[in-house]
Amino acid sequence: MTLVNVWFILIAVLWTGFFVLEGFDFGVGILHRYLSRDEPDRLTIINTIGPLWDGNEVWLVVAGAAMFAAFPGWYSTMFSAYYLALALILVALILRGVSFEFRGRDQSPRWRTRWSILLTAGSIVAPLLLGVALGGLLHGLPIGADQEYTGDFLDLLKPYPLYVGVTLLALCVLHGATFIALKTTGGVRDRAKRLARQVAPFVAAIVAVYAIWTHIVADKGVLPNPIEIAAILAVIAAAWFAGQGRDGWAFTLTTFVMAAVVVSIFTELFPRVMVSTEGAATDLTISNTASGSYTLKLMTVIFILIFPVVAAYQAWTYHTFRQRLSRTEFENATEE
């Protein structure tokens, strides 16, 4: 296997890791008002990701940096095409981060409500647009022979990319519900379990359509591959485990589903990195967008040295903050 292939796989792993870890973050942000009855409930839900969310976003930064260094042609074309969408994603991520920091700065219910609304909005917009961008890589964009994007913003909003965005958004909701159930006790946990059971059949249907549509877009027929079929079944199984109070298994299964959906995009893309609607001759591939061998060798050494340290630190963080949270810990934190 060449280093070009290795780095395509590593970038797919980084994007998958980002959606798996940040996916439940987004879900918590979306659900923190819906699953709460008062401010202590909301603080309980938000604090399930308090020590984790910023570390999860590191995967997005690393994935973007890896694309820039390993496949500069892919990076430049993709970021030119998605310039406005990526700017909106950046605003959404900033709003989320600021909301975490600012909503607790004032005891006023109106102040906290405003920041909660921004937290919810940012948690919806970011995965939706990231999904649209991911789907667009496979669906195809107008790219000329000089690897320049020749379309406009409306060319990004095709049915398939939009559906990929909806799929990832729905998965974030389910993933977030199973995570909240895993990390909380009492009424919040009960409501999260109930929501997971209620939305799982709809999410399974969404994932099934996604799997079939993805194969059609990739010109591989309509039958999903074994991993995608397993992902559909895993959504149903996650609902059953949530109903049985097996929170760890439910969260593990939604993790698998999220990973399978993202990996399927990269699997169908390979060896292309961006499909061109102008014809196969202008597709961007791992070969015509990759850096030179020296750069890839240097990056490989750096990755081998640094990535285990980053992964170990993040694993330690999750282990340290593994306890369930109860609303009694936050009942004195506010007056409502």
Side-chain angles (χ1 to χ4, degrees), residues 36 46 72 82 115 136 166 171 231 237 248 274 293 296 321:
S36 61
I46 290 173
Y82 293 133
W115 286 110
V166 170
L171 281 174
M274 288 184 76
S293 60
L296 295 178
F321 297 99

Side-chain angles (χ1 to χ4, degrees), residues 21-62:
L21 296 176
E22 193 70 1
F24 66 76
D25 271 12
F26 290 140
V28 169
I30 294 168
L31 297 174
H32 81 283
R33 285 175 59 81
Y34 180 78
L35 293 178
S36 61
R37 296 293 179 266
D38 51 22
E39 183 61 17
D41 277 357
R42 285 188 280 278
L43 288 175
T44 304
I45 295 171
I46 290 173
N47 277 278
T48 59
I49 57 172
L52 309 174
W53 68 269
D54 48 355
N56 294 340
E57 290 189 355
V58 169
W59 288 70
L60 176 64
V61 176
V62 176

Side-chain angles (χ1 to χ4, degrees), residues 193-207:
K193 288 163 52 181
R194 186 162 55 248
L195 178 69
R197 291 198 306 272
Q198 291 171 344
V199 302
F202 299 102
V203 177
I206 291 171
V207 173

Side-chain angles (χ1 to χ4, degrees), residues 8-286:
F8 178 82
I9 294 171
L10 289 177
I11 288 171
V13 169
L14 290 169
W15 277 108
T16 303
F18 167 73
F19 277 104
V20 165
L21 296 176
E22 193 70 1
F24 66 76
D25 271 12
F26 290 140
V28 169
I30 294 168
L31 297 174
H32 81 283
R33 285 175 59 81
Y34 180 78
L35 293 178
S36 61
R37 296 293 179 266
D38 51 22
E39 183 61 17
D41 277 357
R42 285 188 280 278
L43 288 175
T44 304
I45 295 171
I46 290 173
N47 277 278
T48 59
I49 57 172
L52 309 174
W53 68 269
D54 48 355
N56 294 340
E57 290 189 355
V58 169
W59 288 70
L60 176 64
V61 176
V62 176
M67 289 176 63
F68 173 75
F71 299 99
W74 180 11
Y75 179 91
S76 62
T77 303
M78 178 176 166
F79 276 69
S80 296
Y82 293 133
Y83 181 78
L84 181 56
L86 292 173
L88 292 173
I89 291 169
L90 183 60
V91 170
L93 293 176
I94 291 173
L95 283 177
R96 290 185 78 245
V98 172
S99 298
F100 288 127
E101 300 296 332
F102 274 65
R103 76 177 300 282
R105 298 287 182 179
D106 195 306
Q107 297 292 324
S108 165
R110 182 176 297 179
W111 171 270
R112 293 187 171 185
T113 298
R114 288 173 179 170
W115 286 110
S116 279
I117 292 172
L118 290 175
L119 172 58
T120 302
S123 299
I124 291 173
V125 170
L128 179 65
L129 292 183
L130 283 168
V132 170
L134 199 61
L137 299 180
L138 181 63
H139 177 269
L141 295 169
I143 300 172
D146 56 356
Q147 299 189 351
E148 290 290 334
Y149 178 67
T150 58
D152 54 33
F153 182 73
L154 293 180
D155 287 313
L156 308 177
L157 305 179
K158 302 299 182 182
Y160 174 75
L162 286 171
Y163 191 80
V164 175
V166 170
T167 302
L168 288 175
L169 183 60
L171 281 174
C172 287
V173 171
L174 180 62
H175 202 28
T178 60
F179 181 76
I180 293 169
L182 178 68
K183 291 288 292 181
T184 60
T185 62
V188 172
R189 181 190 176 213
D190 292 340
R191 290 191 288 275
K193 288 163 52 181
R194 186 162 55 248
L195 178 69
R197 291 198 306 272
Q198 291 171 344
V199 302
F202 299 102
V203 177
I206 291 171
V207 173
V209 172
Y210 161 82
I212 295 170
W213 201 348
T214 297
H215 275 241
I216 293 173
V217 169
D219 292 328
K220 293 185 178 178
V222 298
L223 294 178
N225 62 38
I227 294 178
E228 290 163 344
I229 293 173
I232 298 167
L233 297 176
V235 177
I236 303 299
W240 186 83
F241 278 113
Q244 298 299 311
R246 307 285 294 275
D247 302 327
W249 277 107
F251 179 68
T252 300
L253 286 166
T254 57
T255 297
F256 169 77
V257 177
M258 180 67 82
V261 165
V262 178
V263 167
S264 67
I265 290 283
F266 286 95
T267 302
E268 301 296 355
L269 266 176
F270 184 82
R272 303 163 298 177
V273 293
M274 288 184 76
V275 174
S276 171
T277 55
E278 304 300 318
T282 56
D283 283 349
L284 301 191
T285 68
I286 59 172

Side-chain angles (χ1 to χ4, degrees), residues 1-12 71 270 286 300:
M1 180 179 292
T2 66
L3 282 179
V4 174
N5 291 335
V6 168
W7 272 99
F8 178 82
I9 294 171
L10 289 177
I11 288 171
F71 299 99
F270 184 82
I286 59 172
T300 304

